[in-house]
Amino acid sequence: MRKAARLALMGVALMLSQGVQAKDKPAARPNILIIMADDLGYSDIGAYGGEIRTPNLDRLAAGGVRMTHFHSAPSCSPTRAMLLSGADAHVAGLGAMAEGIPPAMRGREGFEGALSQRVATLAERFAARGYATLMAGKWHLGQADGQRPAQRGFQHSYALLQGAANHFGRGGFSEDPNPLTSATYVEDDKSVTPGTDFYSSDVYAQKIIAQIGKVGKKTPFFAYLAFTAPHSPLQAPVEDIANYRGRYADGWHALAQRRMAAMRAKDVLPGTLPMDSASFGPSQQSWDALTPAQQAVEARKAEVYAAMISRLDANVGKVLTALEKSGQRNNTLILFLSDNGPAGETADRFSVMPGVADKYAKADNSLAGMGGANSFLFYSPQWSEASSAPSRLFKGFLTEGGTLVPAIWNYPGLPAGATNALVGDVRDIAPTLLKLAGVPVENRIGDRKVAYLEGADILPWLESGKDNRPITHVAAEFYGQAMVRQGPWKLLRVPAPFGSGQWQLFNTIDDPAERQDRSGDHPDMVAGMKAAWKDYAMRHGLPEAPPSPPAAGHQH
């Protein structure tokens, strides 16, 4: 269908479903806003079964489509590289995190630890077609000249260049001056220092609102709002933490059971097999084994984490209000997603990173101080298992718990309040947005040749409500873990101790927990998927023997 005709049909659908006037239908060049959370679990927001108060994100979901089988990379910067480029992380330079490139892969193409010039960013592509390109929040795609947001197509930007920092603006992830773990903020490529009233989610929302306001309504915009919440260190304003006092006193197992029941009710639980819910998520025994004092500490971590998400949501609401007041809301596609599954972190995992252990030792992690600017808390593996249940594991793993993320698409013409089980990938975002905006996908930016897009436009399926996307192979590698998707089928190899080290086949729609290895039932499928993996590995120069896993904590 020609683009103009498709947009006209989308406008008609909106008028029929919501009774709006013809003047409200989308214009030919829509605004685009991507909102990304950092380390948010699949069920952490209300629209996906969570108990955390997220009325603004829930409103986006009520007016759009929630994808129930959408996947990211298992960690921050690989996802961000693929999101902005539409290319594989190894092509985009982030085959591994900059903080932990395996020794065997150092100096290799695809493992530069920064966004490669081999790819064009969405900002570069949109800017070349007359869009204003805006960005606020976490960058984590390179700090050197030529790597920063202003040099990769963003005309206006306010960015934390590193992967994590104190949310109150009081320094980086460690006390060491290492540029990978310090905190560097830039605004339009000029160094800036956070003010005394800084809180990450507040400032990033304020900056993107101001940038959009400067553009005005005559020029379409592409905006990227990349929150650092709820990434560690877990910190939130005291008034937000107070809203969750006592909410998690019964532990992570009870939370997982409540979440799964709510996910079923909201039609966002991807599994279809009957489940004994008590056997999924973190065990009750692990919670009962804690002393009352330990339980109080763990419950407080969950309270702070929930407060961070509520604060993020409140700031999303401010952005939506600004768009509504300016009359731009009806012509803005909004995509909300997380960059990977919940973090699953412990302090000892970061002990090898210079300065982190020292900062943790000096932090005020008393019960009264937890969540404050001087605290340093992590979202534990057990809470993360509750946030990802019934999927297996969490951030850092190619299992469903590490890559299954919430993805809400809100735009006139999409079926309001719908869910869609289309198997999607973060590489699909770039081609979808470019097609919608009528931006041609060219293999050159200026005099630079760039890689092709590896995803596909998924908007037709979101519009129709169908999930019958043509089956293709989608492969990924992360620190020696390997994966190939073929629709709902997933061939997975996870080294010990978290996996068998052998190829296993799972149907992730029927079995999101990846408990039933079906490789023996489908030998021909396994052979085809192994061949697809071999081709992928050859194209990206990956060794037969997997590279060493990252040093503990190198998964920002």
Side-chain angles (χ1 to χ4, degrees):
M1 182 182 295
R2 292 180 64 86
K3 176 177 175 291
R6 190 167 104 190
L7 287 171
L9 286 177
M10 290 169 67
V12 170
L14 175 67
M15 288 185 279
L16 291 176
S17 64
Q18 298 183 359
V20 302
Q21 301 301 311
K23 64 181 176 66
D24 291 327
K25 71 180 182 180
R29 304 184 77 198
N31 303 313
I32 291 169
L33 170 61
I34 299 174
I35 303 173
M36 176 169 275
D38 196 352
D39 292 0
L40 182 83
Y42 181 78
S43 66
D44 280 337
I45 65 174
Y48 279 80
E51 74 296 329
I52 300 171
R53 299 183 186 94
T54 55
N56 297 293
L57 292 172
D58 298 348
R59 178 158 59 105
L60 279 180
V65 177
R66 290 162 293 162
M67 296 187 72
T68 63
H69 212 67
F70 188 83
H71 295 87
S72 66
S75 195
C76 304
S77 51
T79 291
R80 293 160 200 272
M82 293 195 290
L83 170 100
L84 290 177
S85 72
D88 186 83
H90 296 83
V91 174
L94 273 302
M97 308 293 292
E99 298 88 348
I101 299 174
M105 306 308 287
R106 290 173 187 164
R108 296 277 296 272
E109 183 175 293
F111 290 85
E112 294 91 343
L115 193 62
S116 166
Q117 290 290 329
R118 292 183 296 273
V119 299
T121 68
L122 281 171
E124 289 170 324
R125 293 186 186 276
F126 277 109
R129 293 291 164 170
Y131 268 70
T133 52
L134 319 170
M135 183 262 171
K138 174 174 169 175
W139 180 240
H140 203 199
L141 294 173
Q143 303 177 38
D145 287 342
Q147 299 174 351
R148 298 184 294 273
Q151 299 156 331
R152 295 312 307 264
F154 286 100
Q155 297 156 355
H156 296 287
S157 58
Y158 180 97
L160 167 68
L161 296 182
Q162 287 82 5
N166 184 293
H167 289 276
F168 290 95
R170 301 185 186 179
F173 208 71
S174 80
E175 293 196 344
D176 192 88
N178 186 330
L180 292 175
T181 54
S182 55
T184 306
Y185 295 87
V186 293
E187 186 162 22
D188 293 341
D189 216 31
K190 296 179 181 178
S191 178
V192 293
T193 301
T196 56
D197 58 348
F198 184 97
Y199 183 72
S200 63
S201 296
D202 296 352
V203 171
Y204 299 149
Q206 291 165 8
K207 293 295 182 180
I208 208 74
I209 290 169
Q211 291 170 14
I212 292 172
K214 290 179 181 178
V215 170
K217 295 194 289 185
K218 292 184 179 180
T219 302
F221 65 78
F222 166 70
Y224 174 44
L225 174 55
F227 289 107
T228 50
H231 194 296
S232 58
L234 305 184
Q235 296 169 323
V238 292
E239 62 269 25
D240 294 301
I241 300 172
N243 291 329
Y244 292 93
R245 286 285 190 261
R247 191 65 181 267
Y248 302 100
D250 54 355
W252 40 61
H253 177 78
L255 177 63
Q257 308 316 302
R258 289 194 296 270
R259 290 272 185 95
M260 285 187 285
M263 290 161 70
R264 284 286 192 206
K266 292 180 180 292
D267 191 33
V268 295
L269 187 60
T272 59
L273 290 179
M275 298 190 305
D276 172 14
S277 63
S279 67
F280 289 83
S283 71
Q284 180 63 37
Q285 288 79 9
S286 63
W287 181 257
D288 292 341
L290 301 179
T291 66
Q294 290 171 328
Q295 289 180 352
V297 167
E298 287 298 324
R300 183 60 50 83
K301 291 178 184 177
E303 293 167 6
V304 178
Y305 180 83
M308 295 176 77
I309 295 170
S310 280
R311 191 79 173 203
L312 180 156
D313 179 83
N315 279 290
V316 169
K318 292 176 183 178
V319 176
L320 296 179
T321 298
L323 290 173
E324 289 160 0
K325 287 182 177 179
S326 68
Q328 294 169 290
R329 178 67 186 88
N330 285 343
N331 190 41
T332 302
L333 180 145
I334 299 176
L335 167 62
F336 171 82
L337 72 162
S338 178
D339 61 348
N340 44 248
E345 296 171 335
T346 56
D348 62 315
R349 283 184 52 216
F350 292 88
S351 61
V352 299
M353 292 179 69
V356 175
D358 291 340
K359 189 153 193 170
Y360 183 80
K362 295 176 182 177
D364 178 8
N365 288 337
S366 65
L367 195 61
M370 291 174 68
N374 296 318
S375 68
F376 202 111
L377 307 175
F378 300 97
Y379 199 54
S380 69
Q382 293 89 344
W383 286 123
S384 295
E385 288 175 3
S387 289
S388 62
S391 297
R392 180 159 63 109
L393 293 172
F394 33 76
K395 176 182 178 179
F397 294 95
L398 281 170
T399 59
E400 291 297 278
T403 65
L404 180 66
V405 297
I408 299 171
W409 296 76
N410 184 289
Y411 188 64
L414 297 181
T419 59
N420 192 307
L422 176 81
V423 179
D425 182 87
V426 69
R427 283 162 280 196
D428 295 326
I429 292 172
T432 300
L433 299 181
L434 294 169
K435 183 68 176 293
L436 174 67
V439 175
V441 179
E442 299 171 331
N443 66 351
R444 301 197 77 84
I445 290 292
D447 60 356
R448 187 172 102 243
K449 186 176 181 180
V450 294
Y452 63 91
L453 303 185
E454 298 191 19
D457 173 19
I458 61 174
L459 195 61
W461 286 277
L462 299 180
E463 292 173 349
S464 68
K466 296 180 180 179
D467 58 10
N468 58 340
R469 180 181 185 177
I471 299 297
T472 57
H473 288 121
V474 177
E477 181 272 343
F478 191 70
Y479 291 107
Q481 302 170 68
M483 181 277 292
V484 182
R485 289 190 189 277
Q486 183 177 321
W489 292 94
K490 177 179 177 182
L491 190 67
L492 179 66
R493 185 182 66 196
V494 177
F498 294 98
S500 67
Q502 304 300 312
W503 287 109
Q504 295 178 298
L505 180 69
F506 304 102
N507 186 312
T508 55
I509 294 290
D510 292 339
D511 179 23
E514 297 168 334
R515 290 186 171 188
Q516 301 181 8
D517 180 8
R518 304 287 299 281
S519 56
D521 301 331
H522 302 280
D524 292 342
M525 182 185 296
V526 170
M529 295 172 83
K530 283 184 177 179
W533 165 256
K534 184 175 181 180
D535 177 69
Y536 175 85
M538 290 179 63
R539 282 189 287 115
H540 297 300
L542 301 175
E544 285 295 324
S548 302
H554 286 161
Q555 294 176 0
H556 279 313

